[in-house]
Amino acid sequence: MSLLNTSSLLGREAIIDFPDSQAVVHYSPQGVLFWKVTDCKGSTSEGRERLSYLQLSDTLHFLNWIEKSGFTVSQVVDTARGTVKAFWSYTDENTNGAQRASMFVDGQFRFR
């Protein structure tokens, strides 16, 4: 676990609206992320992940975690603007090389 500085983000819950899904997240003070995602079809998934976290400023936060499936998430959360810039990397057998694909996704962030 990599946690640097204390943060108004840790110990809080939030909702992130992405174009095709909504995530309800809890950032524990111990650096564990609890998440539940509901996609546009109503399907849900959830998990508990160990966070790597770096507070960049009072309102800007960088987070990264790797889920059990190998799905990897990096996010820059701006609590002042209510935005998230996410980078997702995941297994895709139809790609060359390491059989991984990736994409950037923008989201809207709000504390719960």
Side-chain angles (χ1 to χ4, degrees), residues 8-28:
S8 61
L9 190 63
L10 298 182
R12 306 277 308 266
E13 290 187 4
I15 296 173
I16 305 171
D17 291 306
F18 291 109
D20 294 325
S21 62
Q22 182 181 74
V24 177
V25 295
H26 173 76
Y27 308 99
S28 83

Side-chain angles (χ1 to χ4, degrees), residues 22-42:
Q22 182 181 74
V24 177
V25 295
H26 173 76
Y27 308 99
S28 83
Q30 297 78 25
V32 176
L33 172 73
F34 299 93
W35 58 269
K36 182 176 182 179
V37 172
T38 304
D39 69 17
C40 59
K41 297 176 184 173

Side-chain angles (χ1 to χ4, degrees), residues 29-108:
Q30 297 78 25
V32 176
L33 172 73
F34 299 93
W35 58 269
K36 182 176 182 179
V37 172
T38 304
D39 69 17
C40 59
K41 297 176 184 173
S43 298
T44 61
S45 56
E46 56 190 296
R48 177 185 184 274
E49 317 299 340
R50 178 67 64 190
L51 277 177
S52 292
Y53 172 81
L54 178 63
Q55 184 174 351
L56 302 173
S57 73
D58 287 343
T59 62
L60 206 55
H61 311 269
F62 178 78
L63 302 95
N64 177 267
W65 65 90
I66 302 170
E67 298 174 6
K68 291 173 185 61
S69 66
F71 192 89
T72 303
V73 178
S74 296
Q75 293 181 343
V76 176
V77 177
D78 186 333
T79 57
R81 296 173 119 192
T83 61
V84 175
K85 176 68 81 173
F87 175 78
W88 297 340
S89 173
Y90 49 91
T91 301
D92 183 348
E93 296 177 6
N94 297 320
T95 62
N96 295 327
Q99 295 185 330
R100 296 203 48 93
S102 62
M103 63 190 301
F104 284 101
V105 181
D106 292 320
Q108 297 300 308

